Amino acid sequence: RPEIDGLRAIAVLSVVLYHFGVPLPGGFTGVDVFFVISGFLIGGILWREHRATGRINILAFYVRRFRRLAPAFFAMLFATAALGWFVLLPFEYREFAKSGIAATVYLSNVLFFRSAGYFDTISEEKPLLHTWSLAVEEQFYIVLPLLFIALAWARTSFLWTLGAIWFASLVACIWLTPSHPEATFFLFPFRAWELLSGVLLAIY
């Protein structure tokens, strides 16, 4: 759908330009928009598959995700590792390696959350910081197919369950952002409402 591709391009460009120092108010909003788009696309795929076949082929789903993401991810990781070998200090490269391992198993958002604090380095000195959003997405796409498998046989209860999770995630995000901004920024439970917004729109 060209309108979704266009919206995705705007969302990604806003974040990239923001990180390049362009004075773009609300540049981070592109991440939120991208999460909704991602939920809309993947949620729609799963919903249509279940409506058509009565089941979810979870292995095929994960294979598709891996084939879509892995080539670009590992090309980026190896290129960054090669460049980092020449420009990073030893302790910086050690931290880079930790984030590389965490990103490979889709836990970099947890790592960056745990390292955030007074003694943390600035964001510009974390070459793989951008992988936190990919980790949030993939954590969601581990949970979502399992929810489909567990509940989609009963459409009404499935939609009510998704709606309840959406509401709980949104309330928790709003409630805890003033006191725990790092947690609500990085961690999946506080971002789930954005992805679920897309899923519910796709089902609607």
Side-chain angles (χ1 to χ4, degrees), residues 2 34 81 85 93 95 112 131 167 170 202:
F34 194 86
W85 181 261
Y93 201 77
E95 293 304 309
F112 293 128
T131 63
F167 182 75
L170 175 60

Side-chain angles (χ1 to χ4, degrees), residues 117-139:
Y118 184 80
F119 294 104
D120 191 20
T121 56
I122 60 174
S123 297
E124 289 81 353
E125 295 178 2
K126 297 179 179 180
L128 297 180
L129 182 62
H130 64 287
T131 63
W132 75 267
S133 58
L134 180 62
V136 169
E137 269 195 291
E138 294 311 304
Q139 289 160 21

Side-chain angles (χ1 to χ4, degrees), residues 93-110:
Y93 201 77
R94 183 179 67 247
E95 293 304 309
F96 165 80
K98 290 180 183 178
S99 62
I101 293 170
T104 302
V105 296
Y106 303 123
L107 289 173
S108 59
N109 62 325
V110 177

Side-chain angles (χ1 to χ4, degrees), residues 42 46 56-66 141 145:
I42 302 299
L46 291 172
I56 297 291
N57 188 333
I58 195 166
L59 178 61
F61 172 77
Y62 289 133
V63 168
R64 288 196 304 268
R65 293 295 295 170
F66 182 81
Y141 296 132

